[in-house]
Amino acid sequence: MNQTKSCKRNLVVVRAGEKSLHPGWLSNPYNKRSFDLVVSYFSQTAFDAHVEVEGVTRVLHVGGKWDGLHKTLTGMNWEDYDFFWLPDDDIETDGDVIDTMFQMANNHGLAVCQPSLSRQSYFTHFIFSQCRDFRLRYTNHIEIMVPCLNRAMLQRVLPEFKDTMSGFGLDYIWCRLEESRGYRAAILDAISVFHTRPIGGSLKKTIATTGTTSQDEEIILQEAYGLKERVVPIAYAGISAKGVPIAGRYSMANAMALSWKKDLKDFRDPREARWKMLQIYKRQLIKPLDMSPL
């Protein structure tokens, strides 16, 4: 990869296909944004159709998301950047939101975080839907869909990317590493992004062709860290939109439920949102929370 030293402190790396939404992330001119962008194409057609833009580099690595990210990052000099956003290519957002994400990650000393999901987003876990009454929520789970990592965290987990296409299991493992201990993993509710497509796409189809499932990859990763089962997402503390700390999973359950209840009509499927909200409330009260280091 041809690369010159950058004055930017942040880097976005996206695994992209023919329908990638990354051009919308460049809504601000290069001199006004805080990040460089590397577009790591998994499609030859998309790679060939790439349009040159200042501050944007293209590479081609056929494969899954995470093994492709490993090839991309190990093939470049990334050590001068402070934070790294590794989103899917079906995320709709703009440069202002991305810049705010990096600023919040830095200001709050976060090792791993993610923007919340907008009301109309397709989701795997409802808990990542934006809670407008919060600035951020500390959690044991950061999605592989839109993670933002600091340099120390990326250095720690990059070797794990090599042998997984799906990244299943990373979402809860990186919240229990030494680098993320002490309220350093969070959902950023002050901002949100729009996940535009239903869960499951071209990268998952690629995984299926190998004969290894995402669940198989997760089990391998679990065994490497001594885990026996999947970890469910729980928010155990937060900072309200007014800057007030909220501690404890029970207090968080009440505050999240009240926030989502006020906005139920705005969700893509209000009935589903209500059911998921109640499901999370119950989970916050009864599911075990283990934050011991891995």
Side-chain angles (χ1 to χ4, degrees):
M1 180 189 300
N2 295 326
Q3 190 181 358
T4 57
K5 189 174 179 64
S6 173
C7 63
K8 305 298 183 183
R9 304 309 307 160
N10 308 305
L11 180 67
V12 177
V13 186
V14 60
R15 292 286 285 148
E18 296 167 35
K19 297 181 180 180
S20 178
L21 299 180
H22 71 266
W25 308 346
L26 306 173
S27 55
N28 296 327
Y30 186 59
N31 65 343
K32 298 293 186 182
R33 60 180 187 261
S34 69
F35 60 92
D36 289 319
L37 171 63
V38 174
V39 185
S40 176
Y41 289 104
F42 55 84
S43 160
Q44 181 71 58
T45 301
F47 178 81
D48 293 339
H50 177 84
V51 176
E52 294 294 333
V53 179
E54 186 180 11
V56 179
T57 304
R58 68 168 178 168
V59 296
L60 176 65
H61 293 296
V62 176
K65 175 174 180 177
W66 295 94
D67 59 323
L69 286 172
H70 184 269
K71 293 173 184 175
T72 302
L73 288 163
T74 54
M76 63 175 290
N77 297 322
W78 52 265
E79 290 83 358
D80 290 332
Y81 295 102
D82 294 328
F83 288 93
F84 306 82
W85 192 39
L86 310 176
D88 288 356
D89 72 345
D90 58 352
I91 299 299
E92 183 177 295
T93 188
D94 60 32
D96 289 337
V97 169
I98 297 172
D99 284 334
T100 300
M101 174 192 66
F102 285 128
Q103 184 178 35
M104 289 187 68
N106 182 58
N107 290 348
H108 291 279
L110 301 175
V112 56
C113 62
Q114 70 167 88
S116 65
L117 301 182
S118 68
R119 295 287 177 268
Q120 296 300 305
S121 289
Y122 292 93
F123 58 83
T124 301
H125 301 288
F126 184 78
I127 196 170
F128 298 106
S129 297
Q130 186 178 34
C131 259
R132 299 184 198 273
D133 288 347
F134 283 89
R135 182 178 301 168
L136 61 80
R137 286 170 288 153
Y138 296 105
T139 180
N140 64 339
H141 208 290
I142 294 295
E143 291 183 294
I144 53 176
M145 181 198 304
V146 284
C148 176
L149 316 179
N150 71 2
R151 189 191 312 119
M153 179 59 74
L154 181 60
Q155 288 172 332
R156 174 69 184 273
V157 299
L158 182 58
E160 306 293 0
F161 297 0
K162 183 178 181 180
D163 297 318
T164 179
M165 300 178 83
S166 68
F168 273 36
L170 285 171
D171 37 15
Y172 46 84
I173 285 172
W174 52 33
C175 292
R176 284 179 57 188
L177 299 178
E178 189 63 38
E179 288 79 0
S180 60
R181 298 201 62 194
Y183 298 91
R184 302 189 70 197
I187 306 164
L188 308 179
D189 289 299
I191 55 172
S192 68
V193 296
F194 176 25
H195 184 219
T196 60
R197 296 198 291 265
I199 305 300
S202 55
L203 287 176
K204 285 195 174 182
K205 292 176 183 176
T206 301
I207 294 167
T209 65
T210 68
T212 300
T213 68
S214 303
Q215 289 72 27
D216 292 334
E217 292 184 336
E218 182 177 15
I219 290 171
I220 292 171
L221 197 57
Q222 286 174 342
E223 290 176 346
Y225 283 91
L227 297 173
K228 296 182 178 179
E229 60 185 1
R230 178 173 294 179
V231 175
V232 298
I234 293 173
Y236 57 85
I239 301 175
S240 77
K242 296 180 180 180
V244 178
I246 299 175
R249 48 194 296 190
Y250 307 114
S251 297
M252 291 296 295
N254 290 323
M256 289 190 296
L258 288 172
S259 181
W260 284 322
K261 185 177 180 181
K262 290 187 290 187
D263 291 337
L264 276 178
K265 68 180 187 307
D266 298 327
F267 282 93
R268 182 172 48 83
D269 185 339
R271 178 176 291 184
E272 179 190 33
R274 180 182 292 275
W275 167 245
K276 292 293 184 181
M277 179 186 74
L278 294 173
Q279 197 175 48
I280 289 171
Y281 189 88
K282 181 179 179 181
R283 177 184 296 165
Q284 287 279 135
L285 299 182
I286 66 173
K287 285 291 185 178
L289 174 65
D290 186 354
M291 294 301 292
S292 59
L294 295 176

